[in-house]
Amino acid sequence: MSSDPSAKVVPLYYSEEADERLVRAILKGDLEAEREFALRFMRPVRGMLLALSHDPELTADLLQDVMIEAICSLRRGQLRDPRKLKAFVGAIGRNAVNRHYYRKARKPATVDLPEDLPDLRAMTGDRDQEERGNLAMEAIASLETVDRRILEMTLVEGFKPGKIAIEMSLNPDVVRQRKLRAIRKVIDFVQQTSQKRSSIPRVEGRVP
Amino acid sequence: MSDCNGGPADRYLEPYLRNTLPEAEARQFEEHYYGCEVCLAQLEALEAVELKLGRQPRKAPGVLLYWPTAAYAATAIAAMLLIGFFSWRSMTVMPALNQQARTQATAPIQGPQSPAPAAAPSVPPLLHQLADLNFPVFRLSNVRGEKVNPALQEGMRAYARHDCPATVRALSQVTDQAPEAPMARLYSGVCLMHEGDLPRSAQTLKAATVAPGTPEQEAASYYLAQVALIRNDGSLARHYLILAISSHGDFEGRARGQLRQIPAHEPHH
């Protein structure tokens, strides 16, 4: 988590009504709403891009493209139903990954970018990511060798438990059990340690 | 706040990250974690673990105990063959540097990094020592809902195991007309380089450079430079490194680093 005390903590959970208000504010040219939009969507968009690409460099490249494209589209009023904001941003993210892999473009489709876009560089949460990476290393180190190998074969090599069981001469049920346990363990470790070390309490609640 | 207790993440997270979740469920899960702190935090945590696992050395001694003995032996043999091949190349390809290599090889304690004899005040590094033999990271493009070329899928699964012969065999089934051809040629070329078949590696990597401005073109240029370095051909390596740098992509930093280490006026062989 960020250790910058000036960092604005934005609640992640938004109702559809709150999304609607955000969309309408952006359409009216409210720059603060654009900033809020970027803060609200930066994390889930990064999570999705990374899940689709498994490539942190590509994710970093595409993240700002997606956010800028989304803001520009919202300014142009391209979202017909403001309550579908999450699906709208998700679709822009998926399209960006598709475009990359189909080589139609490596740059965002928008050519003439407006001058007054919010500065997204400060919002990318690089420090958060770095800390999560360090915690992930600790979490991996805390696993037994067998569990670590199972996790690696599952997440990195994409093997199913049956295949892992053959590779490691284990019972498939044992592999499934160990896999679930290892995943739960590393997630809990990263989350709990991250919360313990964070100097900023997470603010939760609906957007006013 | 969201009253989610993390149930969706428990259920969908792992198949979602492995891209085995059906399209509709994947979208549903995405829409959920776009508004759920609990599930998003779990996604971020597991992604961080996945990235770190992917960057860890694969062959920890404790892990190897669980591998079949045959795979262990095959890995050792492949490593010995590679070392043997590179030693042979350094002895035969570049006679001018050959003498230095022999001198170093015959010295019982001195390694390649050992200081040169007093008679040779400045010993340029053997170019093949600069070559980057790391396998480039690959994950199947994961564009959900799209059909993945089965030959590419099979090849890249073999690639994930660093099984070079199987990778080359499977990827050769990807036709030149297929949109995945540049990608297939790139990873085939890298594997052929690891197998020591440098002429075929160069030929295959060149075939991956046909689509300008693509990540494959950049990566292929970079690995063509590695092939040139293994052949101790500094001039050709410079050429390809400059090409890779001009793409301003993922390989730019590494290519610049190598370019700085290649002595100027390296003869072209």
Side-chain angles (χ1 to χ4, degrees):
Chain A
M1 299 297 134
S2 171
S3 56
D4 180 14
S6 65
K8 184 176 179 182
V9 181
V10 172
L12 184 67
Y13 183 76
Y14 275 54
S15 63
E16 287 182 344
E17 292 77 17
D19 280 349
E20 193 176 353
R21 277 197 295 275
L22 201 54
V23 171
R24 296 205 189 287
I26 292 173
L27 198 56
K28 284 180 189 164
D30 181 347
L31 294 181
E32 185 54 34
E34 289 180 358
R35 189 179 142 71
E36 192 181 333
F37 168 84
L39 282 166
R40 177 220 185 306
F41 279 100
M42 196 72 93
R43 278 179 62 208
V45 168
R46 188 201 293 113
M48 188 183 79
L49 293 175
L50 194 54
L52 290 172
S53 68
H54 298 274
D55 180 340
E57 283 82 19
L58 176 62
T59 297
D61 283 351
L62 293 181
L63 180 59
Q64 296 211 3
D65 294 351
V66 171
M67 298 310 294
I68 288 171
E69 194 178 334
I71 290 173
C72 291
S73 303
L74 291 174
R75 280 185 185 185
R76 290 193 295 264
Q78 289 178 339
L79 176 57
R80 288 181 194 165
D81 182 356
R83 288 167 180 257
K84 304 281 183 197
L85 182 60
K86 287 184 284 192
F88 181 72
V89 179
I92 291 175
R94 270 192 302 277
N95 287 343
V97 179
N98 288 356
R99 268 206 307 271
H100 174 82
Y101 284 117
Y102 285 99
R103 305 168 190 87
K104 285 181 183 161
R106 294 188 75 185
K107 303 278 178 197
T110 315
V111 179
D112 297 320
L113 291 177
E115 296 285 328
D116 55 347
L117 283 168
D119 184 4
L120 302 176
R121 286 169 301 178
M123 304 179 193
T124 53
D126 288 344
R127 267 187 298 175
D128 283 3
Q129 272 187 298
E130 195 183 326
E131 183 167 337
R132 251 196 313 276
N134 293 336
L135 291 177
M137 282 297 284
E138 290 180 41
I140 293 165
S142 73
L143 293 176
E144 286 178 37
T145 311
V146 185
D147 291 343
R148 188 163 47 199
R149 182 66 188 137
I150 289 174
L151 211 53
E152 185 180 279
M153 290 173 100
T154 303
L155 294 174
V156 182
E157 295 167 29
F159 290 162
K160 290 185 176 171
K163 170 85 172 161
I164 297 172
I166 294 168
E167 293 273 345
M168 299 183 70
S169 308
L170 293 172
N171 183 312
D173 287 334
V174 172
V175 171
R176 280 188 200 95
Q177 217 170 28
R178 277 182 171 267
K179 182 188 76 177
L180 289 176
R181 198 179 60 186
I183 287 177
R184 176 48 46 207
K185 191 173 173 184
V186 291
I187 288 177
D188 287 349
F189 184 94
V190 174
Q191 279 192 282
Q192 285 168 10
T193 317
S194 170
Q195 280 165 7
K196 269 185 214 161
R197 292 183 189 173
S198 172
S199 57
I200 304 172
R202 280 271 160 200
V203 176
E204 292 171 332
R206 285 179 187 274
V207 171
Chain B
M1 67 169 283
S2 163
D3 50 8
C4 175
N5 60 3
D10 282 343
R11 184 170 172 195
Y12 296 124
L13 191 49
E14 186 224 320
Y16 176 70
L17 278 181
R18 286 172 42 206
N19 295 288
T20 54
L21 201 58
E23 177 68 17
E25 287 178 63
R27 290 205 180 191
Q28 208 177 357
F29 180 53
E30 274 164 8
E31 203 163 321
H32 171 77
Y33 74 68
Y34 262 57
C36 174
E37 168 68 40
V38 179
C39 291
L40 177 63
Q42 295 202 26
L43 171 73
E44 289 175 331
L46 200 56
E47 280 178 339
V49 170
E50 183 197 23
L51 288 178
K52 289 293 172 187
L53 275 173
R55 286 175 184 170
Q56 292 220 321
R58 293 281 172 86
K59 298 177 181 69
V63 174
L64 280 176
L65 294 174
Y66 294 94
W67 280 60
T69 311
Y72 183 75
T75 309
I77 291 167
M80 285 171 67
L81 283 174
L82 267 178
I83 292 166
F85 173 79
F86 291 133
S87 307
W88 173 75
R89 292 298 303 180
S90 71
M91 294 297 171
T92 56
V93 174
M94 204 162 175
L97 295 173
N98 190 6
Q99 190 55 44
Q100 292 163 10
R102 274 196 199 127
T103 311
Q104 288 170 358
T106 49
I109 298 172
Q110 290 174 343
Q113 306 293 333
S114 304
S122 64
V123 180
L126 291 174
L127 288 176
H128 72 256
Q129 290 172 350
L130 299 177
D132 174 4
L133 299 179
N134 290 317
F135 285 93
V137 176
F138 174 83
R139 292 298 302 245
L140 217 48
S141 64
N142 311 305
V143 181
R144 289 196 312 269
E146 299 293 335
K147 284 183 182 171
V148 180
N149 186 318
L152 182 75
Q153 196 163 25
E154 188 191 338
M156 298 322 295
R157 282 200 188 285
Y159 180 80
R161 300 190 304 271
H162 294 184
D163 181 349
C164 284
T167 305
V168 173
R169 211 167 34 245
L171 293 183
S172 67
Q173 305 300 314
V174 178
T175 61
D176 288 337
Q177 288 72 38
E180 302 87 355
M183 189 186 290
R185 304 298 173 255
L186 167 66
Y187 291 99
S188 272
V190 171
C191 282
L192 286 165
M193 178 182 83
H194 273 264
E195 290 289 286
D197 190 346
L198 298 187
R200 268 183 76 203
S201 169
Q203 192 185 4
T204 313
L205 286 168
K206 275 180 193 162
T209 61
V210 291
T214 60
E216 284 79 20
Q217 187 206 27
E218 182 202 0
S221 301
Y222 178 77
Y223 281 97
L224 277 165
Q226 308 315 307
V227 173
L229 285 173
I230 295 168
R231 291 170 149 172
N232 286 316
D233 187 340
S235 151
L236 194 59
R238 290 178 74 87
H239 167 76
Y240 283 120
L241 286 173
I242 289 166
L243 267 183
I245 290 166
S246 68
S247 296
H248 301 297
D250 297 344
F251 289 88
E252 184 179 359
R254 276 181 275 174
R256 282 189 190 281
Q258 280 191 332
L259 198 57
R260 277 195 293 272
Q261 294 181 63
I262 299 175
H265 312 301
E266 196 58 48
H268 186 117
H269 295 273

